[in-house]
Amino acid sequence: NAGVTQTPKFQVLKTGQSMTLQCAQDMNHNSMYWYRQDPGMGLRLIYYSASEGTTDKGEVPNGYNVSRLNKREFSLRLESAAPSQTSVYFCASSVHRGESTDTQYFGPGTRLTVL
Amino acid sequence: QKEVEQNSGPLSVPEGAIASLNCTYSDRGSQSFFWYRQYSGKSPELIMFIYSNGDKEDGRFTAQLNKASQYVSLLIRDSQPSDSATYLCAVYFVRGDMRFGAGTRLTVKP
C-alpha cells in the first residue's frame, strides 16, 4: 500500500513554462486535494475533488487547473508558471469530504521553483 | 481575520518536559479538529483528532478541546528530540472544508 504518491519530487521551471503535477492514491478514497505550502502561511487549498467527476476551487485557484482522471488520480496543471508559484505542493486524499470525521492523508510533496 | 491561528514559535523545551501547543479558530460551529506533525522537508502526518470537548489521550499525546473558547491544544509529555518538528492544527469548518494553521515549530533540546 503506497498511500498517496506524487511525481515529480522536484522541478525547476522558467517563467511562462507549463507543467503537470501528478498524484495517485491507492486507498480507494473518494476525495482528493491539492495544497501549496509557503513559509509562514501554512497549507492553502488550491483545488479539490470531492468525488470522481467533480472538481472545485479552493482558497487559491488562480493560475492552476486540475483534472480528476479517475478515482485514483488527480493532476494539477500550471499553464504559464510565474515566480509566485514557487512553493511546495502537496496532494492529499480522504474517504469523503464533508463528513466532520474525514481525515486527510498527504503525499510526499513536489518542490517547485519558478525562475 | 485568520481562521486558524497558532503561535509560530519556535517553542523550545528540554528533553523530558511537557510541550504545550495551542490553536484558536474562528468558526464557532466547527466540529472536528486535527493535529498533524511535519518534519522538515516532509509531508504532514496525522497525530490525532478530537471531536468532543475535553481531553483525548493517545500515548504521550493529549489533545484538549474547549469549543466555548474556540481553543484546541496539544500536549506532548516526556518530550523527545525526535518530537522536534512543526505541528499543524487543522479545523473542519461548518461549510465542509478543512483549514490549517501556519504551524508551531517545536524544538526539544537534549
Side-chain angles (χ1 to χ4, degrees), chain A residues 88-102:
Chain A
V88 180
Y89 291 85
F90 288 104
C91 178
S93 71
S94 70
V95 173
H96 188 80
R97 182 184 183 278
E99 295 180 357
S100 62
T101 58
D102 198 42

Side-chain angles (χ1 to χ4, degrees), chain B residues 6-49:
Chain B
Q6 298 180 252
N7 287 328
S8 61
L11 173 66
S12 181
V13 300
E15 184 175 355
I18 295 175
S20 178
L21 305 159
N22 304 316
C23 173
T24 58
Y25 58 95
S26 61
D27 188 342
R28 184 171 290 277
S30 298
Q31 297 181 13
S32 52
F33 309 85
F34 301 78
W35 283 101
Y36 285 83
R37 177 176 60 199
Q38 186 174 26
Y39 291 113
S40 181
K42 301 296 185 182
S43 59
E45 54 179 345
L46 182 71
I47 299 173
M48 63 190 303
F49 50 79

Side-chain angles (χ1 to χ4, degrees), chain A residues 74-112:
Chain A
F74 189 37
S75 63
L76 178 72
R77 182 160 178 85
L78 286 70
E79 293 291 351
S80 179
S84 61
Q85 295 178 304
T86 293
S87 188
V88 180
Y89 291 85
F90 288 104
C91 178
S93 71
S94 70
V95 173
H96 188 80
R97 182 184 183 278
E99 295 180 357
S100 62
T101 58
D102 198 42
T103 300
Q104 294 184 20
Y105 297 90
F106 288 83
T110 295
R111 192 172 297 271
L112 175 67

Side-chain angles (χ1 to χ4, degrees), chain A residues 4-115:
Chain A
V4 181
T5 57
Q6 292 182 237
T7 56
K9 285 187 169 53
F10 300 94
Q11 184 70 50
V12 179
L13 293 177
K14 294 181 180 178
T15 296
Q17 287 185 318
S18 62
M19 78 160 297
T20 299
L21 282 63
Q22 305 287 354
C23 174
Q25 52 91 11
D26 63 2
M27 296 179 283
N28 200 35
H29 285 171
N30 293 294
S31 303
M32 298 185 74
Y33 312 81
W34 277 105
Y35 289 91
R36 60 178 289 173
Q37 187 175 38
D38 302 295
M41 300 194 73
L43 288 158
R44 292 184 293 169
L45 183 64
I46 305 171
Y47 271 93
Y48 66 91
S49 171
S51 60
E52 186 178 358
T54 69
T55 60
D56 282 289
K57 296 178 180 179
E59 192 182 356
V60 288
N62 291 344
Y64 305 95
N65 285 299
V66 291
S67 295
R68 182 76 182 266
L69 304 170
N70 47 56
K71 190 171 185 178
R72 290 187 64 248
E73 298 173 288
F74 189 37
S75 63
L76 178 72
R77 182 160 178 85
L78 286 70
E79 293 291 351
S80 179
S84 61
Q85 295 178 304
T86 293
S87 188
V88 180
Y89 291 85
F90 288 104
C91 178
S93 71
S94 70
V95 173
H96 188 80
R97 182 184 183 278
E99 295 180 357
S100 62
T101 58
D102 198 42
T103 300
Q104 294 184 20
Y105 297 90
F106 288 83
T110 295
R111 192 172 297 271
L112 175 67
T113 301
V114 183
L115 302 175

